[in-house]
Amino acid sequence: MTDNAQQQPPASTPELPTQYAPAEVEGKLYERWVDKGYFAADAKSEKPAYTIVIPPPNVTGSLHLGHAFQHTLMDALIRRRRMQGYEALWLPGMDHAGIATQNKVEQQLAEEGKSRQDLGREEFVERVWQWKEEYGGKILGQMRRLGDGVDWDRERFTMDEGLSKAVQTIFKKLYDDELIYRAERIINWCPRCLTAISDIEVEYQEDDGELVSIKYGEGDETLVVATTRAETMLGDTAVAVHPDDERYKHLVGKRIKLPLTDRSIPVVADTHVDPEFGTGAVKVTPAHDPNDFAIGQRHGLESITVMDERAVITVHGPFQGLDRFEARSTIVAALRSQGRIVAEKRPYVHSVGHCSRCRTTVEPRLSMQWWVKVGPLAQAAGDAVRDGRVAIHPADMSKRYFDWVDNMHDWCISRQLWWGHRIPVWYGPDGEVVCVGPDEEAPTGEGWRQDTDVLDTWFSSGLWPFSTLGWPENTPDLQKFYSTDVLLTGHDIIFFWVARMMMFGLYAMDGEVPFKTIALTGLVRDERGKKMSKSFGNVVDPLDWMDKYGSDAVRFTLARGANPGTDVPIGEDWVQASRNFANKIWNATRFALMNGATVEGPLPEPEKLSATDRWILSRLNKTVAAVDAFYEDFQFAKLSDALYHFAWDEVFDWYVELSKTTFMGGGEPAKVSGRVLGEVLDVTLRLLHPIVPFVTETLWTTLTGGESVVIAAWPKDSGFRDAAAEREIETLQQVITEVRRFRADQGLQPGQRVPARLTLDGTAFAPHEAAIRQLLRLQPEGEGFSATATLPVAGAEVALDLSGTIDVAAERKRLAKDLAAAEKEKAQANAKLGNEAFLAKAPDNVVEKIRTRLAKADEDIARIQAQLDRLPEA
C-alpha cells in the first residue's frame, strides 16, 4: 500500500537508548556519510541529473542563521532527489571575497606595524594565500555540523586554477565582442578600502547630517541651492534649473559667480531638475555625483575632481589638505562669514551610503574603470524568464527581477585591490592595449605593464554555475550537470548575483540557462520580526543552538518557517519546540520497537486490517502525496507542518494510542498492527529525513536494519485510500475528544478513572470499546452504577457516574457563577452595540473588539450551560 525500501529486517528486537543525545550522534553520522561516498555524484551515471550549486560563502565568513536557513532548504531538496533515484550533485565552494579578505590581512599586517605597500604586491598576495590556508574556510566545517550533503570532492574556490582560467576566458571573449570597455565614470568609492565598490557592497542608513542653503551669484542674478555635502561646491561647474521654470528663465545661459572661488559657472536648463523640490535650482558637480555627471554629459560641462582617493581636498588653497568632513564645516563657516548661508538645518536625517566592509561613508567619485556593457546581456537574461526557460518562484518576485534587468546600468567590474583576479590587459609604451586570453602569451619588453586593478568578486561568482563544472573545457561534469536545476537564494541579491549569473550563463553557454528555477527565500529575523543586527543585540549564532538543541532542531525550525519569498521569524523557544519534536519521534519509535513494530514481510491485505490500520495507511499515503506536491512548489513550511502534524498527532497521539490495546492483547491482531506501525514509521522517517537527517538516520537504520536512510528509496504514494475508515476514526476521535473535554470541564484529573456505560450498538465504535475505555480512563460500570451525566456524541452514548468523583453542588455553584459573569459581559457588549451615539464616535477597531467580546460571551454561555445540563441534580 506504500512503497517499501526493501530493507533487511534486524535479526532481533533492536534497542535504542532511553534518550536522544544529538551531540553523541551527529558528528559521527556525518563523517560516516562522507566516508561512504553517499554525497558523491558520478558524471558517468545513467541516472537523471539533479544539480544545485551552493551560493559560495565568503572565505572569511562563518555560518550565520541566513546560511543555515538556505542550506537547510537546499539540503532537503538534494537529499530528496537523491532518494528518488537522481544523480544528485550539490556542489560546494567558497568565494575569495576580494575586499573582505584583503582587509583581514591588512589588519593582520597593521598589528605587525606594516602595510601592504611595505610587502609589495607579489609578497602581499602570497600572504593572503597563507591567511586563506590558515584561517579561511571556517564555514566549511560548520556546514558539516549542519549536515550539508555536499560533494566535497568537487569543492571549488573562485581563485583556484580552473576558475581563474574561466574568468580570463570570459573576460577575453567579452572584450573581443566589445562588451567590455574602459571609461571614466562616477563610481562608489571607499576612501578606507581605496577601491571602487559595487552597489551590493554599499549599505544605506539614516545618518544625522546638515542641509545648508547657499546663495550663488550677485544682485539680480542669484540662485539659492541646498546641499548636504557643501565641500563638493568647490567642484561645481554649473547650476541647473528646469526648462519650464519661469522663475529662472532669465538666468538660463548666463554665468554666475561661484562663491569662495575665482570661477563663474553657467546656469543650464535640464529636465532632470524637479522645480517643486526646494528652490528648484541644483548645484552640478559632475565629478562627485552620478546625476550631476549625467547632466554634465548632456551639457558638455567640465568635470573637476576636488578630492583624492582618501577623500582629502586637493583644490583651492584655504581648504586644500583638509579631510572632506573637516572641509565641510570649514567651507560652511567661510560661506556664513560672507553672508551666503541662507538657511541651515541640523540635524538633517538623510540616507547615506556606507562601505559594507569597513562602515566608511562612501564617496561618489569620477574614476577611470573597466565596465561591462550590459544591454544585450541583460536583454537575454530578461527573455529567458519571459519565455519560460527559467521560472522564478514565487512568481510575484518576477516583477522585481524585470525591474532590475530591464533598467540595468553598465557594470563597473574593476577594483583597486591586490587580492583577486587581475585584469588581463597589458599597456604598451606607445599606447598599445592588449587583452590576453588564458592560452596566450602576455607581451614582454620594455615599457609593457599589466593593469593593476582586479575584477569585482561578483564577476567570478557570476560564472559559478558553469565554471565550477569545468568550463571552458567541455568536461563530463559540464555535460552531465549543466544546466543546474535550482538556484535557491535570498531575494535580497536577486539584482546582483542572480542577474549576473543569468547574463554570463546565457552568454558563455550559447543560450543555455544556468538554472531552470530561481527559488527565492526571505530573510531570517528575530521572533518579533525584527532584522537581526549586532547593533540591535539580537544576532544569534546557530552553532550555539546546535550545541544546545541539536542540528535537527535548528533545521526543522528554519524549514517550518520557510514560506516562499517571505521573511522568517525565529526564536529560541521555537527551536526548543523542534527539539521536543525530535524527542517525540525518538520516544515513539522506541515504544514501537518495544511493542513489535517491524518492516519484516509484506503488508497484510486490506481485509485483514482493522479500521484503525486502514485509517493510518490511508492518511500516510495522503501525506506522501501532499509532501511531494509541497516540495515541487518549494513550500517548505507547509510540508514541514504536514509532517509534524501527521507524525505527532496522527501517528504518535492517535494510532499508537488506539493500538495499545491491540498490542496488549497479543496474537495475530498485534502482529498485523506491528507490521502496519513498522510501515508507517519506515515511511514517516524517510519523509522526514531531508529536513531532520540525523535523528531519522539513527531511528530508520535501527527499525529497518538498512544501511542508511540517505540512500533509501523516497516513499511513493501507492494510491491506497479508505474514506470509510478515515470517517470512522475521525468520528471516534470526536467521541474521545468530547469526553476528554467534559472530563476537563468537570475538573477530573487525566488519570482519574470513572465508571462508565458505553452504548455503542448500531454504531461503528463497538470494535473500539477497549481503546475508548483505555484512552478515556473509563472503568466498567459495575454494581450500583448511576448515570449522573450522559453525553450523546456522534451516534454513541457515554454515560458517566460522577458520584464520588466530584462535588456536584460545588461544581454547580462554580458554573453558575461563571454563567452569570458571561451573561453580564454579553449584556454590557449588547448595550454598547445598541448605543447609536457610541457607534457613531467609536473607532472601527474598538467596535470590532466589542463585537468579538459579544461572540466570546455567547460561546461561553453555551459551553457553561451545556456543562450544567450534563450535571446531575445536587
Side-chain angles (χ1 to χ4, degrees):
M1 276 168 271
T2 54
D3 170 69
N4 195 281
Q6 300 298 316
Q7 271 48 356
Q8 192 67 31
S12 59
T13 302
E15 292 185 1
L16 287 168
T18 55
Q19 291 184 326
Y20 176 50
E24 298 175 12
V25 171
E26 294 177 347
K28 295 176 184 176
L29 281 184
Y30 188 85
E31 292 310 316
R32 178 178 177 272
W33 292 336
V34 174
D35 292 344
K36 288 284 189 178
Y38 294 154
F39 304 147
D42 183 2
K44 297 178 182 178
S45 169
E46 294 184 1
K47 296 178 184 178
Y50 184 84
T51 315
I52 299 176
V53 291
I54 208 163
N58 287 353
V59 67
T60 60
S62 59
L63 190 78
H64 56 63
L65 271 177
H67 289 130
F69 172 52
Q70 293 179 0
H71 286 214
T72 293
L73 305 187
M74 284 185 279
D75 196 36
L77 292 174
I78 210 77
R79 284 178 182 269
R80 172 174 174 261
R81 287 298 193 215
R82 188 179 290 118
M83 295 172 75
Q84 287 180 316
Y86 286 79
E87 196 62 36
L89 169 61
W90 188 16
L91 192 147
M94 294 184 298
D95 191 285
H96 64 279
I99 295 177
T101 309
Q102 180 158 318
N103 279 349
K104 288 280 188 183
V105 179
E106 289 198 76
Q107 289 167 11
Q108 196 178 63
L109 287 173
E111 292 171 3
E112 301 170 11
K114 299 177 184 177
S115 69
R116 59 175 164 138
Q117 285 76 19
D118 294 331
L119 272 64
R121 184 169 192 143
E122 188 173 334
E123 188 177 342
F124 176 79
V125 171
E126 179 59 34
R127 179 72 176 259
V128 180
W129 277 108
Q130 291 173 9
W131 182 94
K132 185 256 182 187
E133 294 304 317
E134 188 172 354
Y135 301 106
K138 177 182 177 182
I139 193 172
L140 300 179
Q142 296 167 341
M143 287 162 55
R144 291 172 177 260
R145 280 288 312 276
L146 188 64
D148 282 8
V150 298
D151 187 344
W152 291 109
D153 292 338
R154 285 181 167 82
E155 180 191 336
R156 304 306 300 267
F157 180 55
T158 49
M159 286 283 286
D160 68 28
E161 184 178 351
L163 270 64
S164 295
K165 181 178 181 180
V167 168
Q168 195 172 354
T169 299
I170 202 162
F171 187 99
K172 170 71 171 174
K173 181 174 170 60
L174 288 163
Y175 182 88
D176 290 347
D177 288 345
E178 298 183 349
L179 292 173
I180 279 183
Y181 64 94
R182 192 168 183 247
E184 197 173 40
R185 299 274 181 82
I186 293 285
I187 45 87
N188 301 308
W189 181 266
C190 176
R192 156 62 185 80
C193 298
L194 300 180
T195 181
I197 59 176
S198 65
D199 292 338
I200 189 72
E201 293 160 324
V202 178
E203 293 182 355
Y204 288 88
Q205 66 184 47
E206 297 295 309
D207 284 359
D208 286 345
E210 61 180 2
L211 180 69
V212 294
S213 298
I214 309 167
K215 182 173 67 174
Y216 284 25
E218 302 290 348
D220 294 335
E221 297 182 350
T222 61
L223 287 164
V224 175
V225 301
T227 181
T228 58
R229 300 164 65 216
E231 69 278 8
T232 63
M233 67 163 292
L234 301 175
D236 287 359
T237 55
V239 173
V241 298
H242 194 276
D244 299 331
D245 195 330
E246 294 293 335
R247 294 171 294 176
Y248 305 121
K249 279 196 172 182
H250 67 289
L251 292 177
V252 173
K254 293 185 176 181
R255 301 183 72 86
I256 59 174
K257 182 82 166 60
L258 178 65
L260 304 182
T261 73
D262 56 2
R263 293 190 291 118
S264 64
I265 57 176
V267 178
V268 299
D270 195 280
T271 55
H272 170 76
V273 180
D274 180 2
E276 302 299 323
F277 184 76
T279 64
V282 297
K283 59 191 286 299
V284 181
T285 320
H288 292 278
D289 183 273
N291 293 321
D292 293 3
F293 179 79
I295 293 174
Q297 293 285 294
R298 288 193 289 271
H299 297 276
L301 301 176
E302 182 183 5
S303 295
I304 301 175
T305 300
V306 299
M307 285 179 242
D308 66 12
E309 60 184 10
R310 298 183 184 277
V312 172
I313 302 299
T314 58
V315 299
H316 202 69
F319 313 110
Q320 195 167 356
L322 295 179
D323 171 81
R324 56 182 164 164
F325 300 120
E326 296 174 322
R328 182 176 300 171
S329 57
T330 304
I331 287 171
V332 169
L335 290 167
R336 192 184 298 113
S337 69
Q338 294 183 8
R340 290 192 172 273
I341 298 296
V342 175
E344 299 180 62
K345 184 175 182 181
R346 293 188 188 87
Y348 179 72
V349 179
H350 61 133
S351 182
V352 178
H354 296 260
C355 174
S356 63
R357 306 300 178 191
C358 68
R359 311 307 306 160
T360 301
T361 300
V362 169
E363 191 66 40
R365 185 169 189 258
L366 186 63
S367 179
M368 182 67 75
Q369 302 285 346
W370 286 94
W371 304 81
V372 171
K373 188 184 295 183
V374 300
L377 302 175
Q379 175 69 42
D383 290 345
V385 175
R386 287 190 175 93
D387 63 25
R389 284 176 289 155
V390 176
I392 293 180
H393 188 90
D396 58 9
M397 287 284 182
S398 298
K399 183 180 183 302
R400 297 179 65 183
Y401 176 81
F402 291 132
D403 285 347
W404 178 255
V405 298
D406 293 347
N407 300 285
M408 195 182 295
H409 301 296
D410 284 1
W411 170 22
C412 175
I413 56 171
S414 46
R415 299 290 180 266
Q416 290 63 56
L417 304 171
W418 287 357
W419 171 245
H421 296 100
R422 195 164 174 182
I423 289 176
V425 172
W426 273 255
Y427 305 105
D430 298 319
E432 303 96 330
V433 179
V434 177
C435 180
V436 178
D439 300 319
E440 299 172 349
E441 291 292 330
T444 57
E446 188 176 349
W448 283 93
R449 59 183 178 84
Q450 186 178 356
D451 196 298
T452 56
D453 289 351
V454 300
L455 288 162
D456 177 12
T457 295
W458 295 100
F459 190 94
S460 51
S461 60
L463 315 181
W464 191 252
F466 53 94
S467 64
T468 52
L469 296 173
W471 187 91
E473 308 302 325
N474 188 23
T475 63
D477 276 2
L478 195 65
Q479 294 175 34
K480 178 72 174 179
F481 297 113
Y482 190 90
S483 299
T484 70
D485 288 85
V486 178
L487 171 72
L488 190 144
T489 191
H491 62 64
D492 55 326
I493 59 172
I494 186 174
F495 313 127
F496 307 104
W497 189 49
V498 176
R500 281 152 174 66
M501 285 190 290
M502 284 286 282
M503 292 191 300
F504 280 167
L506 291 162
Y507 174 75
M509 299 300 294
D510 299 322
E512 194 174 354
V513 297
F515 23 76
K516 302 176 185 75
T517 300
I518 302 169
L520 297 170
T521 69
L523 308 179
V524 179
R525 297 182 177 272
D526 71 12
E527 64 267 34
R528 297 178 183 84
K530 194 173 183 179
K531 181 180 179 181
M532 288 192 176
S533 166
K534 290 180 180 178
S535 61
F536 295 153
N538 61 351
V539 173
V540 173
D541 184 346
L543 295 168
D544 292 341
W545 281 351
M546 288 184 212
D547 290 341
K548 194 171 183 179
Y549 303 111
S551 297
D552 283 333
V554 174
R555 289 171 62 114
F556 192 75
T557 305
L558 290 165
R560 204 172 178 194
N563 290 298
T566 59
D567 290 347
V568 182
I570 183 171
E572 186 169 1
D573 54 338
W574 303 340
V575 184
Q576 186 173 352
S578 295
R579 188 271 312 274
N580 295 344
F581 179 51
N583 288 343
K584 182 76 170 181
I585 301 169
W586 182 273
N587 293 332
T589 304
R590 186 169 178 271
F591 168 85
L593 289 169
M594 293 169 62
N595 286 273
T598 179
V599 297
E600 186 173 359
L603 276 173
E605 295 301 315
E607 58 269 16
K608 295 182 179 180
L609 302 176
S610 68
T612 308
D613 294 333
R614 286 181 279 112
W615 162 73
I616 197 62
L617 289 173
S618 183
R619 292 295 307 134
L620 176 66
N621 277 285
K622 282 186 175 180
T623 301
V624 171
V627 168
D628 275 332
F630 289 140
Y631 261 115
E632 297 305 318
D633 199 33
F634 302 99
Q635 296 280 0
F636 295 98
K638 290 182 179 179
L639 73 89
S640 300
D641 215 45
L643 286 168
Y644 176 89
H645 288 294
F646 175 72
W648 192 307
D649 299 346
E650 297 186 280
V651 180
F652 305 144
D653 278 358
W654 282 109
Y655 181 73
V656 169
E657 293 299 319
L658 288 170
S659 301
K660 279 183 178 179
T661 53
T662 304
F663 289 132
M664 291 167 60
E668 188 61 25
K671 289 182 180 179
V672 169
S673 288
R675 178 65 189 91
V676 171
L677 180 54
E679 178 76 7
V680 172
L681 286 174
D682 170 22
V683 173
T684 301
L685 290 170
R686 283 186 278 149
L687 289 173
L688 281 164
H689 172 71
I691 304 292
V692 285
F694 295 107
V695 68
T696 52
E697 171 79 342
T698 306
L699 296 175
W700 187 87
T701 53
T702 303
L703 171 70
T704 68
E707 180 183 342
S708 173
V709 70
V710 176
I711 54 173
W714 180 253
K716 294 179 182 177
D717 173 15
S718 70
F720 175 76
R721 302 288 189 275
D722 193 323
E726 289 198 41
R727 285 194 299 272
E728 180 175 332
I729 301 304
E730 285 168 8
T731 310
L732 176 61
Q733 290 170 333
Q734 291 176 22
V735 173
I736 293 170
T737 300
E738 185 62 27
V739 176
R740 279 175 171 167
R741 184 181 296 118
F742 175 76
R743 286 177 56 108
D745 287 343
Q746 304 310 313
L748 296 174
Q749 296 299 314
Q752 187 174 354
R753 303 194 72 82
V754 177
R757 180 175 63 240
L758 307 185
T759 305
L760 306 174
D761 297 340
T763 74
F765 305 139
H768 303 291
E769 179 169 353
I772 293 173
R773 287 188 178 278
Q774 172 70 21
L775 291 173
L776 292 174
R777 304 294 189 268
L778 303 179
Q779 63 191 39
E781 49 195 282
E783 187 177 348
F785 175 83
S786 175
T788 58
T790 302
L791 284 78
V793 186
E797 186 176 273
V798 181
L800 304 172
D801 184 354
L802 301 179
S803 59
T805 60
I806 62 171
D807 184 335
V808 175
E811 186 64 16
R812 278 192 168 277
K813 185 176 181 181
R814 181 184 71 81
L815 290 173
K817 183 177 179 182
D818 290 347
L819 181 62
E823 287 173 338
K824 181 179 179 182
E825 174 75 4
K826 178 178 179 178
Q828 290 174 342
N830 273 327
K832 286 189 176 182
L833 293 174
N835 186 332
E836 292 185 6
F838 170 78
L839 293 176
K841 294 180 181 179
D844 290 344
N845 65 316
V846 172
V847 174
E848 186 57 35
K849 185 179 290 186
I850 293 171
R851 289 195 176 111
T852 301
R853 283 170 50 194
L854 176 61
K856 176 67 166 53
D858 281 333
E859 290 177 8
D860 289 344
I861 290 168
R863 175 178 56 80
I864 297 167
Q865 189 62 57
Q867 290 175 241
L868 282 166
D869 292 343
R870 289 169 182 159
L871 283 175
E873 293 296 326

